[in-house]
Amino acid sequence: MNNIKLFFLLCILGFLSTETGFAQNPKWEKVAPGVWKTIIGTPDDYNLLKAAGSIPLISGLDKMAQPGFPLSQDKITFRINEGKVALRFPLQKEEQIFGFGLNFQTIFQRGKVLELHVDHYGGKDNGRTHAPVPFYVSDRGYGVFVNAARYIKVWCGSAVRADSPAFPEVRDRNTDKKWSSRPYSDAVEMLVPANGVEVYVFEGPTALDAVRRFNLFNGGGCLPPRWGLGFTQRVKSLYTADEVRNEVKAFNDHQFPLDFIGLEPGWQSKSYPCTFDWDKSRYPDPAGFVKEMKDQGIRLNLWTNPYVSPESPIYEPLKPFYGSHTVWLGQVPDITIPEAAEILGNQLLKSQVEIGVSGYKIDEVDGYDFYLWPDMATFPSGKSAEQMRQTYGILIQKLTADIYHHRNERTYGLVRASNGGASNLPYVIYNDYYSHEDFITALCNSSFAGVLWTPEARNSKTAEEWLRRIQSVCFSPMAMINAWSSGTKPWSFPEVEKEVKDMANLRMALMPYFYSEFAKYHFEGTPPFRAMYLEPGFTIRRTEQAGSADLNENPYAEAVRKEMKDQYMAGENLLVAPMFSGQTGRKVVLPEGKWFDFYTGKYAGAGEVITVEPGLAYIPVFVKDGALIPMMKPQLQAPKAGEKVDLEIRHYGTKEGLYRLYDDDGETFDYENGAYSWRELKVETLKNGKSKTSISSAEKGKPDNLGTISWKEMTTAF
Ligand code: GAL
């Protein structure tokens, strides 16, 4: 070889080693049905899935079709450089990406640059949020999860590599109107600040299937107790036992549903930092009080944060386990250490759970930087401040959920931080931000992240706003008024007291439906409240139609291409389109197939954009053709274990109907050992045109809590 040739060869090798030499294709291994994993480099010992400790629900995954690895494996690459892993996943033209956690303003993530960081929500979708879950879903029907408790940077279809095979045309800004400051990018790129990382890919074939697999892989979604789906009021911070008694009595006097009451910081002798012990001046006899409430069917949920006051009975025992920095001068226990988790858990158990407290609201585990420990903080387990920040919310959910699980009692609580892997932990995220519109967008986004979210109602400027917020809350995972500061009651706006009550009653009436939908979250992974993009028949790539969409010619095609963030699905069959204060009407995009008005049963439209003016008393709700909605008579409280419930099953539309109704004791984990039943509700059309209704009976020895059944044909004329 002559010198010139050698020179060129060395140049090429040199180029390859700096530019592409380290880019490699990961090797994928199937670890569960439809779930693929790769291990890149040397991952951290600790990660999101370890923090959550969930066990995949293989029985659920087994039932799903497996279309195979959803991407070209040679297009997925990684490099490890300077202690960081760079990941690259391909994107196709027109492909849309959802997810990356609990965002509040946007649903489409393509084009975003994010840094996933557990934090309070600061008003921008920049990756800092209560649950910055490193999981994304494509409308092409697959999901990707990065299992790292790290601040992960994401360029979601925003960066353009020089060697991209889909390199866009370079344009001249001076002369070309098509010049773009954000040229086309063909990849999702992520940077994980670690020497290695585990990554998972979830098969589809639909985006909903990928989400279902993600949830099932994380243990299946949580199944709340029935009472958790009832109505809940959180009282003012410093309420005494007597004031809580009065509150419960007022609910009863108003005949307003109430299943659980939330006590805010004042139940503790000191907070914040917290003692995790009762304040005896406000609650002189905690055990007696909790029992008295329970005897009236009222459960208690207690606010806390995990930061330990010097006056707490567990301050000394926890001393070896504190991190280097404090939060509001409270010590931060390293609850990744089992002894520390046990000391805290025992305090909660002995002082509260054993006397009948039903759950917790775990506050302040999200942010923000001025409150929480800084990134240089150290913890006795050796976990980094970053790892603790990304997982503290999960750890404390798990710690408290386990206390209840050991006692075979279900709980349902609130938390302000979560992350990937926690789908099966029975907690609903809330926050201090209070935009009704953005709360609905968060509800849509929660379905891409394996978390639940409540658009809590706290207070309002007007009666109209109050009613509109209550309407949304009644179609969410937790129907809650959080009056910790305002003291607002459901009836605080007398002008709309009746309408507010009607909504709460509707929530109670829908209990058999919502409970069955949560069972589907658990056993099948389907989020009970979800974005329209997970709904079959609603897609942004309706190629033929959407290509030349023109709002006048084809409003539906245009509407589905737009970011749809103000309407959502509640369970299998209901489409909810909340009204916001000041609106008298709104547009609703009905997916393909016929849809019917929930209240009247009248035909509403099919694959089209409609305008509704529902009046103040109603939140627009639409029902799929053929849907069966099992409802009960509204009660002030959810049915207790073994209580027989009469059902009215509503049938909507013209199609035959099939619905799977779930039943169990509603309170324990016996369902994990098979103590549950699914029944088939059916409406069939006979040859003579008449319809026939039927309900299958529960298997012998399985839960059977149905009383009398009646059927109601909602769509009488079509
Ligand atoms: C906030 C929380 C509120 C309320 C309050 C009590 O951090 O978000 O919902 O619980 O603390 O001090």
Side-chain angles (χ1 to χ4, degrees):
M1 190 183 296
N2 66 31
N3 281 352
I4 295 179
K5 275 191 185 153
L6 185 65
F7 172 71
F8 277 117
L9 186 68
L10 286 176
C11 282
I12 289 166
L13 283 176
F15 174 77
L16 283 178
S17 64
T18 52
E19 269 313 295
T20 54
F22 297 113
Q24 297 174 47
N25 299 120
K27 304 251 171 311
W28 296 95
E29 182 201 349
K30 199 185 251 194
V31 289
V35 182
W36 301 79
K37 174 181 176 181
T38 186
I39 298 176
I40 292 170
T42 315
D44 297 334
D45 283 341
Y46 182 66
N47 55 41
L48 299 176
L49 294 182
K50 280 210 176 134
S54 322
I55 300 162
L57 197 65
I58 300 293
S59 56
L61 288 167
D62 260 339
K63 293 198 182 99
M64 299 180 70
Q66 292 180 52
F69 196 88
L71 291 159
S72 309
Q73 294 196 9
D74 59 347
K75 295 216 173 99
I76 305 173
T77 59
F78 73 89
R79 293 159 188 249
I80 306 175
N81 199 17
E82 295 183 338
K84 290 183 179 154
V85 183
L87 296 166
R88 185 177 160 90
F89 281 81
L91 280 180
Q92 295 193 28
K93 271 226 156 83
E94 305 268 318
E95 181 171 357
Q96 191 48 269
I97 295 298
F98 311 106
F100 290 119
L102 192 65
N103 286 301
F104 284 75
Q105 293 176 343
T106 55
I107 302 268
F108 292 168
Q109 299 307 316
R110 189 162 182 165
K112 293 278 217 47
V113 179
L114 307 163
E115 187 170 20
L116 306 181
H117 190 308
V118 169
D119 205 341
H120 78 301
Y121 183 67
K124 277 202 185 106
D125 285 2
N126 56 12
R128 283 188 175 244
T129 179
H130 307 271
V133 180
F135 174 64
Y136 71 85
V137 191
S138 160
D139 67 341
R140 292 203 161 262
Y142 65 88
V144 175
F145 174 56
V146 179
N147 181 22
R150 294 283 188 167
Y151 304 147
I152 300 169
K153 283 201 85 172
V154 178
W155 288 262
C156 180
S158 66
V160 188
R161 275 190 67 94
D163 59 359
S164 161
F167 197 79
E169 188 184 334
V170 180
R171 295 177 188 274
D172 173 24
R173 191 178 186 178
N174 289 340
T175 55
D176 192 339
K177 286 214 176 71
K178 285 197 182 145
W179 183 90
S180 163
S181 60
R182 308 239 175 136
Y184 175 75
S185 155
D186 63 354
V188 176
E189 298 195 71
M190 290 179 272
L191 199 58
V192 187
N195 288 316
V197 69
E198 279 183 19
V199 185
Y200 292 82
V201 164
F202 296 84
E203 292 177 18
T206 65
L208 176 60
D209 289 325
V211 164
R212 291 179 51 205
R213 279 186 217 278
F214 177 66
N215 289 332
L216 289 168
F217 192 68
N218 297 326
C222 70
L223 179 59
R226 274 202 179 89
W227 57 261
L229 299 181
F231 207 87
T232 180
Q233 171 87 5
R234 304 200 69 84
V235 298
K236 278 187 99 164
S237 262
L238 296 182
Y239 259 30
T240 61
D242 276 342
E243 286 169 307
V244 177
R245 287 186 181 102
N246 289 340
E247 188 96 339
V248 170
K249 183 172 175 311
F251 267 73
N252 203 35
D253 291 346
H254 282 85
Q255 286 291 291
F256 197 95
L258 183 65
D259 264 293
F260 59 115
I261 281 257
L263 306 187
E264 289 286 317
W267 73 270
Q268 290 194 44
S269 53
K270 292 269 164 25
S271 73
Y272 348 146
C274 296
T275 55
F276 315 103
D277 212 356
W278 295 87
D279 181 282
K280 291 286 166 52
S281 67
R282 287 186 280 269
Y283 296 89
D285 171 20
F289 172 71
V290 177
K291 179 168 183 314
E292 181 191 325
M293 289 291 127
K294 226 175 185 174
D295 289 346
Q296 298 177 59
I298 305 292
R299 312 253 170 181
L300 290 174
N301 172 288
L302 302 183
W303 174 101
T304 196
N305 67 42
Y307 311 120
V308 188
S309 157
E311 296 186 41
S312 169
I314 53 171
Y315 181 80
E316 284 297 324
L318 276 176
K319 245 183 175 165
F321 307 109
Y322 294 138
S324 59
H325 288 66
T326 58
V327 178
W328 291 300
L329 310 182
Q331 303 289 338
V332 183
D334 184 340
I335 52 175
T336 66
I337 300 174
E339 293 98 296
E342 199 179 320
I343 294 168
L344 176 56
N346 257 331
Q347 171 64 21
L348 304 182
L349 176 70
K350 299 278 173 245
S351 162
Q352 298 119 49
V353 180
E354 278 184 353
I355 62 168
V357 165
S358 295
Y360 290 91
K361 165 178 174 179
I362 302 158
D363 206 25
E364 308 290 0
V365 279
D366 46 348
Y368 68 124
D369 290 353
F370 291 100
Y371 302 164
L372 289 208
W373 56 90
D375 286 354
M376 67 289 282
T378 56
F379 287 86
S381 63
K383 309 236 163 25
S384 68
E386 177 183 5
Q387 291 174 320
M388 292 298 270
R389 179 78 177 257
Q390 296 298 72
T391 59
Y392 212 95
I394 302 186
L395 292 169
I396 190 87
Q397 288 179 63
K398 170 89 176 131
L399 186 158
T400 44
D402 280 352
I403 298 175
Y404 285 98
H405 199 267
H406 288 144
R407 295 169 59 81
N408 197 21
E409 278 169 36
R410 275 184 249 170
T411 180
Y412 196 45
L414 291 148
V415 73
R416 245 178 40 193
S418 195
N419 212 326
S423 317
N424 83 331
L425 295 171
Y427 281 90
V428 182
I429 303 174
Y430 67 97
N431 72 4
D432 285 342
Y433 184 73
Y434 202 48
S435 154
H436 187 187
E437 286 87 339
D438 292 357
F439 272 16
I440 299 305
T441 304
L443 194 53
C444 298
N445 276 321
S446 64
S447 61
F448 301 120
V451 297
L452 299 171
W453 160 257
T454 171
E456 67 174 37
R458 288 205 282 275
N459 199 0
S460 290
K461 291 204 187 72
T462 62
E464 181 214 1
E465 183 195 336
W466 183 242
L467 177 56
R468 291 308 190 197
R469 284 185 179 273
I470 294 281
Q471 289 171 342
S472 298
V473 129
C474 287
F475 280 91
S476 85
M478 193 182 277
M480 171 169 74
I481 294 176
N482 179 13
W484 74 276
S485 160
S486 64
T488 318
K489 320 278 178 240
W491 50 86
S492 287
F493 295 88
E495 311 92 294
V496 294
E497 179 176 345
K498 180 182 175 303
E499 289 81 357
V500 166
K501 193 165 159 181
D502 287 348
M503 275 317 297
N505 282 337
L506 178 57
R507 165 78 179 199
M508 298 310 286
L510 282 166
M511 179 89 57
Y513 174 73
F514 282 138
Y515 193 59
S516 297
E517 295 305 312
F518 267 95
K520 291 171 196 170
Y521 185 36
H522 176 68
F523 289 100
E524 294 159 17
T526 307
F529 296 89
R530 45 187 198 283
M532 295 310 299
Y533 299 100
L534 296 178
E535 180 58 19
F538 188 94
T539 159
I540 48 169
R541 206 182 18 251
R542 310 256 97 224
T543 37
E544 333 71 71
Q545 302 169 352
S548 61
D550 168 334
L551 192 55
N552 296 320
E553 274 172 27
N554 190 344
Y556 175 73
E558 179 64 17
V560 291
R561 279 160 64 97
K562 285 211 183 110
E563 199 169 39
M564 176 52 59
K565 54 184 186 175
D566 62 356
Q567 65 177 61
Y568 58 94
M569 295 298 299
E572 193 176 317
N573 293 320
L574 301 180
L575 186 162
V576 182
M579 299 286 294
F580 304 110
S581 170
Q583 283 183 333
T584 49
R586 62 158 292 164
K587 288 198 169 12
V588 182
V589 183
L590 296 174
E592 289 170 357
K594 297 189 186 86
W595 291 81
F596 297 83
D597 182 276
F598 171 75
Y599 307 94
T600 62
K602 284 199 182 119
Y603 176 69
E608 66 187 287
V609 185
I610 60 167
T611 301
V612 290
E613 288 181 11
L616 203 53
Y618 296 102
I619 175 172
V621 179
F622 300 94
V623 192
K624 265 183 209 166
D625 196 4
L628 299 175
I629 310 288
M631 295 176 70
M632 65 178 209
K633 258 221 198 95
Q635 313 183 159
L636 295 182
Q637 285 163 358
K640 309 273 178 294
E643 183 179 330
K644 292 260 183 220
V645 173
D646 296 342
L647 281 192
E648 178 187 274
I649 303 166
R650 295 185 175 185
H651 177 234
Y652 287 83
T654 53
K655 276 195 186 165
E656 297 189 316
L658 172 66
Y659 185 79
R660 285 172 307 126
L661 180 79
Y662 178 78
D663 200 1
D664 65 10
D665 63 24
E667 287 177 16
T668 74
F669 288 93
D670 290 357
Y671 68 85
E672 291 182 341
N673 302 317
Y676 61 83
S677 53
W678 288 103
R679 296 170 151 208
E680 283 198 347
L681 318 183
K682 268 192 197 161
V683 172
E684 291 160 285
T685 311
L686 300 176
K687 281 205 185 99
N688 62 9
K690 292 227 164 92
S691 61
K692 179 182 157 225
T693 58
S694 62
I695 175 164
S696 64
S697 31
E699 264 175 72
K700 218 165 166 242
K702 300 278 176 169
D704 177 7
N705 297 310
L706 294 188
T708 55
I709 311 285
S710 59
W711 298 79
K712 190 167 179 183
E713 200 52 66
M714 291 298 292
T715 308
T716 44
F718 181 71

